Structure formats: structure tokens, C-alpha cells
Amino acid sequence: MTDKKDKDINESNTRRDFLKKAGAASAAVVGTSVLGAPAVHAASNKKIKWRLQTYAGPALAEHVIKPSIDAFNKVANGEMEIELYYADQLVPTGELFRAMQRGTIDAVQSDDDSIAAPVDISVFGGYFPFASRYSLDVPVLFNQYGLNEIWEEAYSEVEGVTWLGAGSWDPCNFATVEPINSLADLKGKRVFTFPTAGKFLSRFGVVPVTLPWEDIEVAVQTGELDGIAWSGITEDYTVGWADVTNYFLTNNISGAWVGSYFANSDRWNELPEHLQTLFKLCMDSSHYYRQHWYWGGEAHLRTSGTKMKLTSIPDAEWATVEAEAHKFWDEIAAKSERNARVVKILKEYSAVMEKAGKPYRCS
């Protein structure tokens, strides 16, 4: 208990010191702007420093973002340095968007859904049920089917935050303490998952639970959670969840998580063009790394992993879940004209993939 209390005090002090420094920095910016700060800043030629917080804990961040930030800091050659912070380290994930708007932090890597982005299309971030079958579906939808333009339009209506781009992560499967072999087995299961995914899964009796990311492993051990629907098997092994769950359900509700990079608009616009370009190149590097890390990891751990037993719900029964997802799509489309455009694109894309057949779709 003493160790935990000391840890809580240290974390509280870290956040308090951070907020004090952030407040002082904000006051300094306000004061100097009155005196014509841009010219002073240009003349000082000081290193630019950013604080970026990711949705991921330390073990996961080693793969999903840290290599690209390390590369950025190296290639920036002393002109700029990005300090990387992990899930809930400075700001709770659900408050990240507002903190970024205020300038408390400079940039974020997360999905729109988890950070409560105040845009109608935020529901499509994270795991929108059955929107993708494979990880490559996400960049194709954004770059070839018009989602980039829709996201840019949505965030242009929000003060203080610039959306920089999206990429794909892993599928959404269940990792559970007890085996799941039918939809009936999901009823009453308390599961950690994403907001929109949780709303959808509740139709099948799942009880969505929201907890800080770092508390999930202990919550499973104490029985507060019956399972996790937050990732594929690669993350289950990487972050330690495979050590506290016994079964992995091969059926997934989405083939890839949709995550994005965001920045405080003032801080982004202050960057010279070459540093903006470098940041986006490092984003692309991170997207590429995840494509092969997850794709290979999912197959390897399903076939060679020793910590979790694989279970499956029969295809015919799982088809009813996909059918319900399409009803869910229509309900989301009815909420706004822009949501309707996104759903229309998802339907068109799905039809093209089905018509194309193997290897795009196998059924």
C-alpha cells in the first residue's frame, strides 16, 4: 500500500508540476505576443520543443510511435525536439483534445473517439464496427476514397486543433478469462473497449467498462473485468494482457483501428515548412512500421503463441453481428449529413472489395 501511495503522490506531483510549467509558458506566450513575439522568436533561433502524448502505454509505444519520434528528433538536427509522453501520463486520454486546444500539450496520437473530439465523424475513429477487413483498407479509404478531405473539413470547423492524418493499427478481438464460443457467451461480460465499439457490443449483452489504460491488467486479475476488446493478439502479448487472460476470440468486429495525429494549431503553424514535412514523413514511417509489425505479429502469435487458447464463433452466427453492424451504420449516418457521406463511402468501398474477390475479400 505504501508503494502504491508513493507512486500516486509522485504521479500527482508530476502532473501538478507539468501544469504549473504549462501555465507559466502560456502566460509567457501571451505576454510576448503583445510585444511582437514572432520577430523576437525568429531572432532568438531557440530550439523548438513539443510535448506529444500518445494513447499507448510505454511497452506499446515502443512500437506504435517511439521509433518515429526518435527519428524525428535525430533528423531535426537540433532545431526541434519532441518529448513523448504515454497514456494518461500528463492528461487523461479522454481530456487530450481539450488540453491540446488550450496548448497544455502540443500534439496527440490517438483515435478521435477516445479523446472525445468534438466533431461528428469522431465515431469513425478507433474501431467502427466492420468498417475494415484488413489494415490496408484504412489508408485506401483515406487516400483514395475521400476520407482525408472529410476529416480535414470536419476539423477545420474546430478552433485550435489541426488534424494531421490517419493510419491503421491492429484488428479488434476479444481477450477473455473464460472461453467465448457463441454470442450467448458474451452476455454480461464486463469488457474494456473503445466508446463507439462499446455502444455496438452492448447490443449483444457486453457491458463496456472505461478505465485508465494502465489499470486494465490488474482489473482483469481482480475480476473487475472479464475481458478486453481493445486490440489484436500482438498487443495482448506486448502489453501483458496475455498473461492475465486465457482465451483469444479469432472473430473480430473490425480489421483495423483508425488512429490519427493531431497538433495544437498555433504550434503547428509556427513550424517552418521543412519541419512540418519532416513530421509528416515520420508519421508515414510509423504507419508503415505498424503495417508489417501487426500483420506478421497477428499470424505468428496465433500459430506459435503459448499463453492464450484460440476460440471461434461459427461463421453463420457471426454473420448476424455483421448484419447488425450495418444497421448501426445507418443509425450513425442519420446523425449528420457528413456522417452519411462517410457511411456512403464505406458501403461503396465494401461493395468494390466484395466484387474484386480474392485476395481483397474471401467471401
Side-chain angles (χ1 to χ4, degrees), residues 79-100:
E79 290 185 63
M80 180 172 173
E81 180 182 0
I82 298 175
E83 297 174 352
L84 178 62
Y85 294 90
Y86 305 119
D88 304 310
Q89 191 171 3
L90 296 176
V91 180
T93 297
E95 299 174 17
L96 276 174
F97 196 92
R98 299 303 183 188
M100 185 169 39

Side-chain angles (χ1 to χ4, degrees), residues 18-229:
F18 165 74
L19 292 171
K20 285 181 180 178
K21 292 176 183 177
S26 298
V29 169
V30 171
T32 54
S33 65
V34 176
L35 300 173
V40 174
H41 177 74
S44 68
N45 201 30
K46 289 183 179 178
K47 179 191 288 187
I48 300 166
K49 286 196 174 184
W50 270 19
R51 301 180 186 92
L52 187 158
Q53 185 170 309
T54 176
Y55 72 97
L60 182 57
E62 284 289 334
H63 294 278
V64 300
I65 190 170
K66 191 174 184 297
S68 64
I69 297 302
D70 288 345
F72 178 93
N73 289 337
K74 182 177 181 180
V75 180
N77 200 29
E79 290 185 63
M80 180 172 173
E81 180 182 0
I82 298 175
E83 297 174 352
L84 178 62
Y85 294 90
Y86 305 119
D88 304 310
Q89 191 171 3
L90 296 176
V91 180
T93 297
E95 299 174 17
L96 276 174
F97 196 92
R98 299 303 183 188
M100 185 169 39
Q101 272 187 315
R102 294 191 301 266
T104 306
I105 53 177
D106 304 301
V108 166
Q109 180 206 44
S110 182
D111 67 284
D112 323 57
D113 200 24
S114 296
I115 62 175
V119 291
D120 46 5
I121 49 88
S122 66
V123 294
F124 300 104
Y127 290 120
F128 190 66
F130 293 92
S132 63
R133 184 75 62 87
Y134 307 117
S135 58
L136 276 174
D137 290 339
V138 173
V140 173
L141 281 162
F142 275 86
N143 292 290
Q144 296 184 24
Y145 279 74
L147 293 194
N148 272 334
E149 290 75 15
I150 293 176
W151 259 245
E152 288 169 356
E153 173 193 299
Y155 284 99
S156 71
E157 299 169 4
V158 180
E159 291 289 334
V161 170
T162 299
W163 175 79
L164 300 175
S168 64
W169 273 251
D170 53 338
C172 182
N173 297 77
F174 284 86
T176 55
V177 176
E178 299 296 329
I180 304 296
N181 294 298
S182 69
L183 291 179
D185 293 335
L186 291 175
K187 291 181 180 178
K189 295 292 188 294
R190 294 159 297 179
V191 174
F192 173 65
T193 188
F194 292 87
T196 298
K199 289 177 185 176
F200 174 69
L201 290 171
S202 66
R203 299 183 177 209
F204 304 94
V206 171
V207 180
V209 178
T210 301
L211 290 170
W213 191 90
E214 62 184 6
D215 294 342
I216 303 311
E217 186 172 343
V218 173
V220 175
Q221 290 175 305
T222 60
E224 185 177 355
L225 287 175
D226 299 305
I228 302 157

Side-chain angles (χ1 to χ4, degrees), residues 184-353:
D185 293 335
L186 291 175
K187 291 181 180 178
K189 295 292 188 294
R190 294 159 297 179
V191 174
F192 173 65
T193 188
F194 292 87
T196 298
K199 289 177 185 176
F200 174 69
L201 290 171
S202 66
R203 299 183 177 209
F204 304 94
V206 171
V207 180
V209 178
T210 301
L211 290 170
W213 191 90
E214 62 184 6
D215 294 342
I216 303 311
E217 186 172 343
V218 173
V220 175
Q221 290 175 305
T222 60
E224 185 177 355
L225 287 175
D226 299 305
I228 302 157
W230 203 83
S231 68
I233 199 169
T234 307
E235 286 190 15
D236 291 334
Y237 273 77
T238 300
V239 306
W241 293 338
D243 297 325
V244 296
T245 56
N246 302 315
Y247 298 93
F248 180 83
L249 181 65
T250 60
N251 312 76
N252 65 58
I253 67 161
S254 178
W257 187 74
V258 179
S260 289
Y261 287 79
F262 307 82
N264 174 276
S265 296
D266 289 340
R267 299 309 306 275
W268 177 253
N269 293 332
E270 287 170 2
L271 294 185
E273 186 177 3
H274 70 284
L275 288 179
Q276 290 183 343
T277 300
L278 176 59
F279 189 84
K280 288 193 170 185
L281 286 170
C282 287
M283 283 169 44
D284 287 342
S285 172
S286 180
H287 294 332
Y288 172 71
Y289 178 91
R290 290 191 311 274
Q291 285 280 355
H292 63 77
W293 183 62
Y294 280 122
W295 186 255
E298 296 299 300
H300 172 70
L301 290 170
R302 283 190 182 203
T303 57
S304 302
T306 58
K307 297 179 179 180
M308 306 171 80
K309 183 177 179 180
L310 304 185
T311 65
S312 296
I313 294 175
D315 289 344
E317 189 175 2
W318 194 248
T320 65
V321 180
E322 186 165 4
E324 188 65 27
H326 291 148
K327 296 178 186 177
F328 186 73
W329 287 14
D330 290 336
E331 292 170 16
I332 296 298
K335 292 182 179 297
S336 77
E337 180 275 336
R338 189 155 47 211
N339 281 2
R341 279 189 277 148
V342 174
V343 169
K344 183 173 183 288
I345 288 172
L346 294 179
K347 289 181 176 181
E348 290 174 350
Y349 179 76
S350 180
V352 169
M353 293 296 106

